[in-house]
């Protein structure tokens, strides 16, 4: 059984303080690709992913994680709070877990790029006063030290889900290459069919008008 060191509990407390400090431009995009460059680290370590409400009154929301790269043995996954899924099917966190801590602690392979996609969903509630935050951190193999950051929260990046239903990515001070990029939504097949039918209808009307003239 894997036991995390107290430093992880301290990080959860500091994340609560970081919720109110996110300052960036909100994005309407709901899916982001997060990538961490661990080429300066050797062997293996751990990634800590959390999605926590700033307050019990925070609007209900969830994140879905897919498209993993650089993650280690699936058997090492440790889920807390209202989190579920697997590396093969993807993970889902809902921000109403008991105690407000919802997350995944998973082994990763250092020496290259670690990446995943995170998709946010939930109902907007502009009247709410607290947001929820998705946070990313790395630990060494012994799980007793955070890596790549000197931010008090221990995180490398925060993605803040606001009551308005937008996402605010915040890059924190870190010593590794970290990127967060919005992922363009790909229209579903039904959307393409509707678009094609609409264009065909417009074309038909134009032809009839031309013949009538």
């Amino acid at each position: 059984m894997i036991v995390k060191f107290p430093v992880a509990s301290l990080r959860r407390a500091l994340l609560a303080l970081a919720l109110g400090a996110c300052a960036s431009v909100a994005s309407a995009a709901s899916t982001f690709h997060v990538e961490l460059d661990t080429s300066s680290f050797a062997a293996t370590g751990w990634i800590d992913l959390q999605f926590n409400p700033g307050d019990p009154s925070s609007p209900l929301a969830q994140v879905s994680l897919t498209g993993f790269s650089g993650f280690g043995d699936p058997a090492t996954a440790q889920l807390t709070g209202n989190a579920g899924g697997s590396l093969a099917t993807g993970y889902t966190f809902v921000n109403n877990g008991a105690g407000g801590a919802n997350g995944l602690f998973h082994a990763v392979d250092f020496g290259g790029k670690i990446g995943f996609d995170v998709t946010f969903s939930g109902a907007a509630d502009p009247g709410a006063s607290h947001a929820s935050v998705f946070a990313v951190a790395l630990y060494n193999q012994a799980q007793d030290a955070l890596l790549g950051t000197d931010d008090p929260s221990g995180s490398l990046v925060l993605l803040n889900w606001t009551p308005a239903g937008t996402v605010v990515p915040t890059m924190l001070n870190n010593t590794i290459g970290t990127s967060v990029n919005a992922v363009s939504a790909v229209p579903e097949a039904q959307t393409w069919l509707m678009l094609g039918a609409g264009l065909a209808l417009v074309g038909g009307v134009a032809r009839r008008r031309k013949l009538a003239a």
Side-chain angles (χ1 to χ4, degrees), residues 154-208:
S155 298
L156 297 164
V157 62
L158 302 177
L159 286 91
N160 198 29
W161 173 262
T162 73
T166 56
V167 180
V168 180
T170 303
M171 305 300 293
L172 303 177
N173 292 330
N174 63 77
T175 58
I176 66 173
T178 303
S179 64
V180 178
N181 296 302
V183 177
S184 299
V186 178
E188 297 181 359
Q190 185 177 6
T191 302
W192 285 116
L193 288 173
M194 292 177 64
L195 177 60
L199 291 174
L201 178 61
V202 171
V205 171
R207 283 194 297 272
R208 284 195 293 272

Side-chain angles (χ1 to χ4, degrees), residues 103-122:
L104 169 68
F105 200 69
H106 202 292
V108 289
D109 299 319
F110 287 157
K113 299 289 181 66
I114 296 172
F116 58 90
D117 292 333
V118 52
T119 299
F120 293 79
S121 60

Side-chain angles (χ1 to χ4, degrees), residues 129-164:
S129 57
H130 291 84
S132 294
V133 67
F134 178 79
V136 182
L138 291 175
Y139 284 84
N140 63 353
Q141 190 173 38
Q143 306 177 30
D144 58 3
L146 287 154
L147 301 176
T149 181
D150 55 9
D151 188 84
S153 72
S155 298
L156 297 164
V157 62
L158 302 177
L159 286 91
N160 198 29
W161 173 262
T162 73

